[in-house]
């Protein structure tokens, strides 16, 4: 990204004539999105937060929506090559009568339909955690073959090396080592945590022993008790 392009991207970020749509998939994305809003002094009437994966949106005072999916809707999307959630988001965006930009942790299915809308002025990646530190390059979606695009439509999980498109405006992160294969001049590093500390209630403050495990969905039920017992014993 050239300096002029980065300057244009920053103008889009700070533009309160646009609707800023944040796709929130985890607590980390929620925290960093809040930092983006504070840093750029975005007005709450121009912010729209979307909860995916039932992520809590209590950090935000703006308009918000919680979206859910189920197996039937996923099947319909694959058969019809559509995104039900993207359609819901676009209907709400239309009510604002504004052009918009999107903030997302990765290029999941809904994003493709949002950024192809003629009112979308671009999109930005937001550091989510592990994904931002994997050794994968960005890719050009438009260079994928038709067969590859059809295959992606039917996959339950998008491959890790196809989760970051190369046409994002910029990449927001809190660590310079995030998005390691992305040019530094395309990264926007956030390092002011003071405002965030005022909004976020630290539940673990003062606790000296903290156990960290993988997501519970990755552990078979029969092994959950064994895993917790081993964690506590160490």
């Amino acid at each position: 990204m050239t300096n002029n392009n980065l300057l244009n991207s920053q103008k889009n970020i700070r533009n309160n004539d646009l609707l800023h749509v944040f796709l929130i998939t985890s607590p980390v994305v929620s925290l960093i999105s809040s930092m983006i809003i504070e840093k750029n002094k975005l007005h709450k009437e121009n912010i729209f937060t979307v909860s995916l994966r039932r992520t809590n949106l209590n950090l935000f005072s703006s308009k918000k929506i919680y979206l859910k999916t189920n197996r039937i809707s996923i099947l319909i999307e694959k058969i019809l090559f559509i995104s039900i959630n993207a359609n819901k988001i676009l209907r709400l965006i239309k009510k604002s009568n504004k052009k918009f930009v999107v903030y997302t942790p990765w290029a999941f299915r809904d994003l493709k339909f949002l950024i192809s809308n003629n009112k979308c002025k671009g999109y930005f990646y937001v550091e989510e955690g592990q994904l931002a530190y994997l050794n994968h390059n960005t890719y050009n979606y438009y260079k994928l073959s038709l067969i590859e695009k059809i295959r992606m439509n039917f996959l339950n999980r998008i491959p890790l090396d196809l989760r970051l498109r190369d046409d994002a405006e910029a990449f927001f992160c809190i660590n310079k080592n995030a998005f390691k294969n992305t040019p530094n001049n395309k990264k926007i590093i956030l390092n002011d945590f003071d405002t965030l500390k005022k909004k976020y209630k630290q539940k673990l403050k003062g606790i000296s022993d903290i156990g960290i495990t993988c997501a519970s969905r990755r552990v078979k039920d029969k092994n959950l008790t064994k895993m917790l017992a081993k964690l506590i014993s160490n």
Side-chain angles (χ1 to χ4, degrees):
M1 176 181 284
T2 65
N3 289 336
N4 285 338
N5 286 339
L6 183 57
L7 182 61
N8 289 334
S9 296
Q10 290 174 335
K11 286 180 179 178
N12 272 345
I13 298 167
R14 300 189 177 105
N15 189 343
N16 269 302
D17 292 326
L18 294 173
L19 185 65
H20 297 260
V21 181
F22 290 85
L23 306 182
I24 311 295
T25 58
S26 72
V28 174
V29 177
S30 178
L31 292 171
I32 297 178
S33 296
S34 180
M35 293 173 71
I36 295 170
I37 291 169
E38 294 295 334
K39 177 181 175 63
N40 295 289
K41 297 179 172 58
L42 300 180
H43 301 159
K44 68 177 183 180
E45 61 268 21
N46 296 322
I47 300 168
F48 181 30
T49 51
V50 181
S51 172
L52 304 171
R53 300 181 182 176
R54 296 177 292 181
T55 306
N56 188 291
L57 296 178
N58 286 348
L59 274 180
F60 307 97
S61 58
S62 55
K63 182 184 294 184
K64 60 190 73 172
I65 181 175
Y66 289 82
L67 294 180
K68 298 179 181 179
T69 57
N70 55 58
R71 291 182 180 179
I72 295 177
S73 64
I74 292 173
L75 180 61
I76 292 173
E77 288 180 330
K78 290 180 178 180
I79 294 173
L80 299 180
F81 285 77
I82 62 172
S83 169
I84 294 174
N85 279 343
N87 287 338
K88 290 179 180 177
I89 295 169
L90 288 171
R91 282 198 297 270
L92 292 170
I93 290 174
K94 188 175 181 180
K95 292 179 180 179
S96 72
N97 198 29
K98 290 185 175 184
K99 294 180 179 180
F100 66 95
V101 290
V102 181
Y103 303 78
T104 180
W106 50 279
F108 49 90
R109 180 190 192 87
D110 305 329
L111 180 71
K112 179 181 71 172
F113 295 91
L114 293 174
I115 64 178
S116 63
N117 186 275
N118 58 12
K119 286 201 171 185
C120 183
K121 300 294 290 181
Y123 74 100
F124 304 85
Y125 283 119
V126 178
E127 178 186 339
E128 182 181 35
Q130 182 182 11
L131 176 65
Y133 295 89
L134 297 179
N135 190 27
H136 292 299
N137 294 318
T138 57
Y139 74 98
N140 188 327
Y141 175 79
Y142 299 102
K143 288 185 177 181
L144 293 179
S145 68
L146 178 60
I147 292 176
E148 287 175 308
K149 291 178 180 178
I150 292 173
R151 174 175 169 268
M152 284 180 66
N153 178 72
F154 287 98
L155 289 174
N156 289 325
R157 292 177 64 84
I158 297 175
L160 292 174
D161 59 348
L162 293 177
R163 294 196 179 189
L164 295 175
R165 293 170 50 146
D166 66 357
D167 52 355
E169 299 280 327
F171 295 67
F172 283 100
C173 50
I174 57 175
N175 188 310
K176 64 180 181 180
N177 295 319
F179 304 115
K180 59 178 66 177
N181 294 333
T182 301
N184 287 331
N185 64 355
K186 204 170 182 180
K187 297 181 188 179
I188 299 176
I189 299 175
L190 305 169
N191 52 22
D192 183 5
F193 295 91
D194 291 338
T195 304
L196 183 61
K197 289 177 181 178
K198 295 176 182 177
K199 295 174 63 177
Y200 177 66
K201 296 180 180 179
Q202 303 175 55
K203 295 182 179 180
L204 300 180
K205 188 174 182 179
I207 299 176
S208 57
D209 298 314
I210 301 171
I212 300 177
T213 74
C214 61
S216 58
R217 67 179 182 278
R218 301 184 187 276
V219 182
K220 294 181 179 179
D221 290 342
K222 65 178 182 180
N223 294 327
L224 185 59
T225 302
K226 186 188 298 184
M227 179 195 72
L228 293 173
K230 188 169 185 178
L231 180 67
I232 293 171
S233 66
N234 290 329

